[in-house]
Amino acid sequence: LRFFGGVTQICTPDNTKVAVLKNMDWIDPLLNKDFQEWAAYYGTAIMPAVVRGPTFKPNVEASVGFVTRNILMDMEEMTFFSLDALNEVLWEKIDELNKQNFQGRDYSRRDLFEREERDLLLPLPPSDYQFLERQQVTVYQDFSFVFDHVHYTMPRKFIKHSLNIRASATEV
């Protein structure tokens, strides 16, 4: 989303089990909690692709093929020793590809995006979404619970209660 500089009003991911737990009627899918929170954080709606419905897939599949032929094939002989080095080359190649004019046209993908799509994006929040780790815990008799090998204390009223803990990289 940072690459595009905004958020679309609707995101249409593939119907993977990682993101979509159940999608019987397509209109009201049961999404993974992380995916739901990600969508809520960015103010977008998740509308997964229709199950066994190829209508949404051709554009995505064509894009995957395009990237494979025009970017990954050029990088076939390259060796990378870190993910950062690989990503740096990928971003450079994507930028080059987006600046190239379409065949028989005097504008590029970047030009088309800037002219027709950028203004339709919703603004980004000031910081990126942080993944939250979840765990259900029970508060012990000594007013504590353990999360990620660390003991935390709770008020007395929570003894023997089951709690849902959510933690980011910086807070529980």
Side-chain angles (χ1 to χ4, degrees):
L1 298 178
R2 291 260 171 246
F3 175 76
F4 292 108
V7 183
T8 56
Q9 293 179 6
I10 297 174
C11 291
T12 305
D14 199 356
N15 211 332
T16 63
K17 273 295 197 192
V18 175
V20 183
L21 303 177
K22 194 173 190 179
N23 191 7
M24 298 302 288
D25 63 359
W26 180 67
I27 300 300
D28 193 22
L30 178 61
L31 299 175
N32 172 314
K33 284 184 182 186
D34 293 319
F35 215 33
Q36 285 176 330
E37 287 183 4
W38 177 88
Y41 184 79
Y42 284 109
T44 186
I46 304 291
M47 295 293 288
V50 179
V51 180
R52 291 189 235 34
T55 333
F56 289 92
K57 292 199 173 204
N59 292 337
V60 174
E61 297 300 333
S63 297
V64 169
F66 185 77
V67 168
T68 302
R69 286 187 309 276
N70 293 294
I71 294 178
L72 299 180
M73 297 279 285
D74 293 345
M75 297 172 59
E76 193 172 34
E77 300 297 320
M78 294 180 179
T79 304
F80 300 96
F81 295 101
S82 73
L83 187 57
D84 289 337
L86 169 66
N87 283 331
E88 187 178 326
V89 172
L90 279 173
W91 284 118
E92 287 172 10
K93 295 219 172 261
I94 288 170
D95 197 40
E96 287 173 20
L97 194 62
N98 284 334
K99 288 180 181 175
Q100 289 177 3
N101 284 348
F102 287 110
Q103 288 181 348
R105 306 277 186 205
D106 62 345
Y107 57 88
S108 66
R109 286 174 181 76
R110 166 96 24 156
D111 298 333
L112 191 61
F113 172 74
E114 295 291 340
R115 187 174 64 224
E116 296 182 9
E117 298 172 350
R118 180 178 288 281
D119 293 338
L120 300 175
L121 295 176
L122 303 171
L124 287 171
S127 61
D128 291 338
Y129 172 77
Q130 285 191 352
F131 170 75
L132 297 175
E133 190 174 333
R134 291 181 178 76
Q135 183 178 332
Q136 191 164 17
V137 299
T138 302
V139 179
Y140 302 127
Q141 294 288 345
D142 66 353
F143 316 117
S144 71
F145 66 90
V146 178
F147 178 76
D148 198 25
H149 307 293
V150 177
H151 286 267
Y152 296 91
T153 58
M154 292 294 295
R156 179 185 190 116
K157 67 181 180 180
F158 292 108
I159 290 177
K160 294 186 181 178
H161 283 123
S162 185
L163 304 175
N164 291 318
I165 304 299
R166 299 182 329 159
S168 68
T170 57
E171 65 182 309
V172 175

